[in-house]
Amino acid sequence: MGSCKDQEDKQMKCAYVDGAIIVGAGPSGLAVSACLSQQGVPSLILEKSDCIASLWQHKTYDRLKLHLPKQFCELPLFGFPKNFPKYPTKQQFIDYMESYALHFSIHPKFKQAVLKAVFDHSSGSWKVQTQDCEYISKWLIVATGENAEPVKPEIFGIDKFNGPVVHTSEYKSGSVFRNKRVLVVGCGNSGMEVSLDLCRNNAIPHMVVRNTVHVLPREMFGFSTFGIAMALLKWLPLKLVDKLLLLMANITLGSTEQLGLRRPKTGPIELKNVTGKTPVLDVGALSQIKSGKIKVMENVKEITRNGAKFTDGQEKEIDAIVLATGYKSNVPSWLQGKMEDFLYVKDYYLPVFAERKPEDKTNVEWTLLHRQVCGYIRQWIDDNVLNHVSEETHACSLWNKFEQLYARKAGNNKLLLIKKLICLKYKDETLLSDHLNAYHVILNQLARMNIKFEDERQGLWLLGTLPDLWEIFRTSISNSAPNGVVTMDLAKSNIMNEEMRRKSQGPSQSEVLVIEKRGMSQSRGPKNKDRSKNKSNRVSAIIDDFLVVYDDDVVNFACYETNWVIDSGASIHATSRRDFFTSYTFGDFGDVKMGNNGLTKAVGMGDVCLETNNGTMLLLKTVKYIPDIHLNLISAGKLDDEGFCNTSNDGHWKLTKGSMIVARSKKCSSLYFMQAKVSDCIINTMENESTTELWRSRLSHMSEKGLMVLAKNNLILE
Ligand SMILES: NC(=O)C1=CN([C@@H]2O[C@H](COP(=O)(O)OP(=O)(O)OC[C@H]3O[C@@H](n4cnc5c(N)ncnc54)[C@H](OP(=O)(O)O)[C@@H]3O)[C@@H](O)[C@H]2O)C=CC1
Ligand SMILES: O=C(O)C(=O)Cc1c[nH]c2ccccc12
């Protein structure tokens, strides 16, 4: 497979990829990689998630099976195992993907969310930026699929709904909805299959059908409908195949109209070609609709606290909502360029811009190309605009209509987008990378309308989208920004680092311990209660006379003040804060053993200048930059080597140079905590005599038990 050569870069690591970059380790990405490697072309797959086929592994329900026979779903060069059933289960499909990757030695780079990909004309290469590296290659292959992001429409009143609201990507099984009335919004394959699963778990699904839909049987007369369709298409024109399919569907299923499932005027295959809308293959839902167990509802007008109002005036009480509203590609949010450029890249410009049909194309080819281009252009269009052009099959008129719509709505859209930008807030339970994507999408849309913001404003605004609970994180970034300028890159990389840090600690360990208050033994009860009201500060342990709180949003420093652990056992100085460095070299500075015996990498090294509590400047040399470490660490041994004198006596620790006291703290187990400000000046005033005022560390009284908690949470280096 491909390899990459790292290069030093001012802000961001950068890697030259030997071969092609493939974005996405789903079935398509793996297949492309395998085919390329068979031709001797190396490639590197960048994958946002932590595994291959992540949609299958993380975002599918338990009961899912392929609904096309396996021979239509196998990847090139290495087929399904012979013993797999005709319709493999989700787990079988995942196992097949895993063995496929193994067979071709495909090793994607995981947790690489592509934020931006731009073609650099001067070097003739693609620059693909993830949260922590810029990958450079001559070739970019986009294999992120059509289902990269769940679509969660804003339904009026849904924020007031009292029960759970889940998207099908989060739905696993109907067992948790037993005896509950569930509103399933959407009647694609997901909506139908989830409704069926709810029925089988004795829940009461109400499925919203707002539009026409083609429901076909999965099999007709013992043959898969898809197989029949593909076979007929070899011999007959598309429209005729559609007619035959509908005829046979009517024979096997009966009319679906009276069940509330009206068919579109366009046939199923033509509709799929033109709009991308997949026919629903029935795997049992239809008979549950017939028996009344799945209730078909019209579109939702409004969601109330405990129910829904429908457009036909009906009102129903409901206990939960499942959004089966589909997925969308995220490509337009990170692949930079104008739609027009992509028409040229894909050779799709002819139907839009050519005056008449080129002579080398037949009428059939020309019509097909028009339809393909229409389908392609529609992927770029917002849902609300899509409704106006969904029936258009002529590329040129679609383009004109689309331009008119946008031109007419431009002012309105600008306002809408600005409003969106202002209202965008990060929600704690979502992925930060998704939030960044959403932010980028708005900025890109505005940029396309010629509304551009300077880099610093973009960076500051991004920080502003974080909720109030992130105040300390936000302040620390803006305080420590070089020259006080928070660039977009700085804001982004800090936020992504923070997400990585949180993820690497796992859900139960994603908090940082903060010693909050001393002497609580008398007043624990009410204080606890008060704290628990505040979502961010949850009391999790009371240790001796200290209240230890887990704080979701406090990083291990307070604003400009930072805490440093001075460890007699550590052999290096280290921090996870890239912005602390006054000088910095990027590179591989070796593996570092973590408290939990895991290994992590030092990816840079440099100097950090601290102002200790008594105003003394302390220059830490060769501090390692370790993105995964959770504390700022000073090695006592290394200070000794640098000519300082570490003394500890009777639980007190003192750092001196000559006659000057540089810092003091109280000893706690084998560690000391020191508070210091990070300074960006490089002068070392150690040579100057200065006042030896004492300082008090907030953490200096931490109990041994507290340290054990820190250690357990992998916050301390061995
Ligand atoms: N077993 C399998 O192999 C399965 C395969 N799939 C595939 O996965 C892909 C995604 O399927 P799916 O998740 O069903 O998504 P789809 O996009 O196919 O369907 C989304 C549904 O939600 C409706 N919808 C969207 N927004 C709203 C709204 N605001 N109010 C009411 N209804 C709304 C759409 O209606 P409208 O048409 O009016 O826009 C449509 O019925 C498809 O290709 C599908 O074939 C899915 C499940 C199982
Ligand atoms: O499941 C999918 O994603 C499909 O595309 C299925 C499909 C596309 N065209 C068809 C025609 C008849 C039956 C199934 C399909």
Side-chain angles (χ1 to χ4, degrees), residues 23 48 112-117 129-131 144 148-149 328-336 420-421 424 426 431-445 448 462 465 488 492 495-496 499:
V23 187
K48 177 170 153 182
Q112 293 299 303
V114 173
L115 302 172
K116 193 164 101 178
Q129 194 188 314
T130 68
Q131 74 282 7
T144 44
E149 309 286 339
K328 64 178 177 206
S329 157
N330 61 16
V331 175
S333 73
W334 54 266
L335 190 56
Q336 312 257 301
K420 245 182 166 174
L421 187 66
L424 185 73
Y426 170 64
L431 279 179
L432 271 164
S433 45
D434 290 343
H435 176 66
L436 281 181
N437 265 338
Y439 185 67
H440 269 294
V441 170
I442 303 175
L443 287 181
N444 288 343
Q445 285 173 333
R448 268 183 242 131
L462 177 59
T465 62
M488 180 71 168
K492 233 165 37 189
I495 289 176
M496 291 313 295
E499 177 165 67

Side-chain angles (χ1 to χ4, degrees), residues 67-68 189 216-217 225-227 229-230 242 245 268-269 272 278-279 281:
H67 64 184
L68 305 184
N189 280 298
L216 303 176
T225 305
F226 184 77
M230 293 306 117
D242 265 346
L245 284 182
I269 305 177
K272 169 86 185 170
T278 320
L281 293 181

